[in-house]
Amino acid sequence: MALSSSHRVTMNDGNTIPVLGFGTYAPRSVPKSEHEVATKLSIEVGFRHIDGAFLYQNEKEVGQAIRAKIADGTVTREDIFYTGKLWNTCHRPELVRPALEETLKNLQLDYLDLYIIHFPISLKPGKDLMPMDENQKVIGDSVDLCDTWEAMEKCKDAGLVKSIGVSNFNRRQLEMILNKTGLKHKPVCNQVECHPYLNQSKLLEFCKSKDIILVAYSALGSQREAPWTEQFPTVLEDPVLGAIAKKHNRSPAQVALRYQIQRGVVVLAKSFTEKRIKENFQVFDFQLTPEDMKAIDGLNKNPRYVNLRNSQEHPNYPFNDEY
């Protein structure tokens, strides 16, 4: 993965994506005002890739931050790479473009740089993000994701989004899209949970073979709330990672982020702490050795911090296969 001077790589549609992104998910305990402040700060320290989603319920605040930094001359719209996500209740083809248009309205932007299917799990359409029946079971919806993908392609052709991709897809689900009759645009990326304890090596190898970029979320572990998060040992407290960080006079977080960049993964980092936001961007002025990379590879245990099984059972649940 060859880096340009602006730390971008080229996707399979010819557009470029910054290899380091700022994630905008936050627990409900974080005030919405802090979402805007953190996003502004991320742009000020150098982040140009902003990763958002309708599910996060903060698109208005994130959009205000982006527009404020454009207005004060810090960046232009073209400098910013914004990712939005199609939520599970909007997989029916006729709902895809309206969902994208709602995101654009929330952000007050004319286009998205990247729009991805958030999960290969279709839920009952409606205002409830997680529709439940009387037994508190999630209500699914029967949608062919190939039809959803065709609607995504139309959004790209209409100029509402520059690139389209997927998230939380396993190999089987990626192949379903790639082998679809009449495919017009390949997914440019697959965004998945990926960190030293879950390095997704097989999925990464498959994505590279298909010229699909792997984007890592929860790259530093996860601070998500129940029911989304499993409790596992903290990645950043791992002694191997700590020793490598000490050797390079870096933090474990910087080492974890640099690890992904060197293996050809676009990586997201999220924080609401000024010191950590600044620290997370300082990963382009050092290099991990082959020995460092091998040692971090050896930490793989395959646990998932983000686990939807806690909240639902669904036939299209994306993590049934190994990758």
Side-chain angles (χ1 to χ4, degrees):
M1 185 167 75
L3 287 180
S4 69
S5 59
S6 58
H7 311 304
R8 287 176 173 251
V9 291
T10 302
M11 300 182 288
N12 62 41
D13 65 354
N15 294 322
T16 62
I17 182 172
V19 297
L20 180 62
F22 181 74
T24 61
Y25 171 82
R28 288 187 294 271
S29 58
V30 177
K32 288 291 181 71
S33 60
E34 291 188 26
H35 298 211
E36 182 175 351
V37 170
T39 305
K40 283 181 181 177
L41 180 60
S42 74
I43 295 171
E44 289 167 5
V45 305
F47 283 93
R48 296 296 177 261
H49 177 177
I50 309 297
D51 181 82
F54 182 77
L55 175 67
Y56 304 163
Q57 296 290 283
N58 61 0
E59 289 178 326
K60 291 180 180 178
E61 290 77 16
V62 171
Q64 286 168 0
I66 293 170
R67 288 182 284 107
K69 300 320 293 179
I70 293 173
D72 71 11
T74 302
V75 290
T76 64
R77 173 64 186 92
E78 292 70 31
D79 293 328
I80 294 294
F81 185 99
Y82 184 87
T83 299
K85 302 183 184 81
L86 177 74
W87 183 237
N88 305 6
T89 55
C90 299
H91 283 180
R92 294 184 184 182
E94 67 272 17
L95 300 179
V96 173
R97 179 164 177 160
L100 173 54
E101 289 174 337
E102 183 174 1
T103 283
L104 289 171
K105 182 179 179 181
N106 288 338
L107 295 163
Q108 290 294 291
L109 296 177
D110 294 329
Y111 66 90
L112 297 188
D113 297 277
L114 175 62
Y115 197 47
I116 61 181
I117 299 175
H118 203 155
F119 287 97
I121 300 170
S122 301
L123 300 180
K124 178 186 175 183
K127 292 184 178 180
D128 291 338
L129 293 175
M130 198 67 71
M132 302 275 190
D133 64 18
E134 63 275 9
N135 298 314
Q136 292 304 295
K137 295 287 187 180
V138 171
I139 305 172
D141 194 26
S142 180
V143 181
D144 185 339
L145 289 175
C146 288
D147 294 336
T148 306
W149 187 252
E150 285 186 10
M152 297 279 285
E153 291 177 323
K154 290 176 182 177
C155 289
K156 174 178 167 68
D157 291 340
L160 297 177
V161 58
K162 292 190 172 184
S163 300
I164 51 176
V166 298
S167 180
N168 297 301
F169 275 48
N170 59 26
R171 175 174 178 160
R172 175 179 57 82
Q173 292 154 339
L174 283 170
E175 288 177 332
M176 176 181 67
I177 300 296
L178 293 172
N179 296 332
K180 174 185 146 342
T181 302
L183 180 69
K184 190 170 185 180
H185 303 295
K186 284 173 58 174
V188 298
C189 72
N190 184 23
Q191 185 181 130
V192 297
E193 179 181 350
C194 186
H195 45 76
Y197 284 176
L198 178 69
N199 66 29
Q200 300 277 17
S201 59
K202 290 184 179 180
L203 184 61
L204 175 59
E205 182 181 356
F206 174 75
C207 286
K208 285 183 175 181
S209 75
K210 300 299 182 181
D211 198 17
I212 295 171
I213 288 175
L214 196 76
V215 181
Y217 69 75
S218 293
L220 306 178
S222 180
Q223 299 172 338
R224 293 172 185 254
E225 302 168 295
W228 304 97
T229 308
E230 294 282 11
Q231 299 303 313
F232 293 109
T234 305
V235 169
L236 299 184
E237 293 176 1
D238 188 277
V240 172
L241 211 60
I244 294 171
K246 186 176 181 180
K247 182 178 76 171
H248 290 278
N249 196 26
R250 297 285 170 163
S251 71
Q254 288 172 320
V255 170
L257 295 172
R258 182 71 202 184
Y259 167 70
Q260 299 292 4
I261 292 170
Q262 285 187 212
R263 63 202 292 259
V265 173
V266 170
V267 62
L268 305 175
K270 66 180 179 65
S271 177
F272 285 83
T273 305
E274 181 175 353
K275 176 179 179 293
R276 289 175 182 164
I277 292 173
K278 292 179 177 178
E279 179 184 276
N280 288 344
F281 193 73
Q282 295 166 353
V283 295
F284 297 107
D285 57 352
F286 76 102
Q287 188 94 2
L288 297 175
T289 67
E291 292 76 22
D292 294 335
M293 295 294 289
K294 186 176 180 181
I296 299 172
D297 282 341
L299 298 178
N300 189 56
K301 300 177 176 69
N302 288 321
R304 297 184 185 275
Y305 288 101
V306 182
N307 191 346
L308 282 184
R309 278 198 179 94
N310 290 342
S311 60
Q312 62 185 306
E313 291 293 337
H314 192 281
N316 281 337
Y317 184 75
F319 309 134
N320 293 327
D321 298 344
E322 184 180 354
Y323 72 104

